[in-house]
Amino acid sequence: MILLLSISITFIIATLVMIVASLLAKKTIMDREKNSPFECGFDPKGSARLPFSLRFFLIAVIFLIFDVEITLLLPLATILNLSSISTWAFTGAVFIAILLLGLYHEWNQGALEWAY
């Protein structure tokens, strides 16, 4: 019963905080200057809402994936003393093989080509 009471009190407090925050965060004054993009006090030369290059985004995501994979490979050097050399080498080789297969797949699909 105490657990149910504490959960319901927590839920009520969280709901009240969210309602109060949404009421206080509403912008009531809509100003043209605040809604326009800021370029050092001057009027913008072009549209600030230009479409983003999907190819650049895809290259950035691939870079991020391989960057995270490298951070997963770094602990292999520290566990060399804690495990046998065959287990260590097999784990590293399998991990690098999976990365290379992913890279080959991305290359084969044409995701690494910047322009056609």
Side-chain angles (χ1 to χ4, degrees):
M1 189 65 177
I2 294 174
L3 180 65
L4 184 61
L5 181 65
S6 64
I7 289 174
S8 61
I9 289 174
T10 304
F11 180 74
I12 290 170
I13 290 173
T15 304
L16 286 175
V17 168
M18 286 191 295
I19 290 171
V20 168
S22 67
L23 290 176
L24 292 177
K26 296 289 183 192
K27 291 183 180 179
T28 57
I29 301 173
M30 298 301 284
D31 188 14
R32 183 182 73 85
E33 292 298 325
K34 288 185 180 179
N35 289 334
S36 67
F38 181 72
E39 288 186 12
C40 301
F42 299 105
D43 288 331
K45 293 183 179 182
S47 173
R49 306 286 186 244
L50 294 175
F52 191 71
S53 171
L54 188 60
R55 301 304 268 165
F56 178 76
F57 176 74
L58 186 60
I59 296 290
V61 168
I62 291 171
F63 171 76
L64 183 65
I65 289 171
F66 281 100
D67 195 40
V68 168
E69 300 298 333
I70 288 182
T71 60
L72 293 174
L73 274 174
L74 285 176
L76 276 177
T78 60
I79 65 166
L80 180 59
N81 297 335
L82 302 174
S83 64
S84 67
I85 190 72
S86 61
T87 305
W88 181 83
F90 179 74
T91 304
V94 167
F95 196 76
I96 290 175
I98 291 171
L99 282 177
L100 289 176
L101 283 173
L103 179 63
Y104 175 72
H105 176 70
E106 293 294 330
W107 193 352
N108 194 21
Q109 294 294 318
L112 300 178
E113 297 293 328
W114 188 255
Y116 291 115

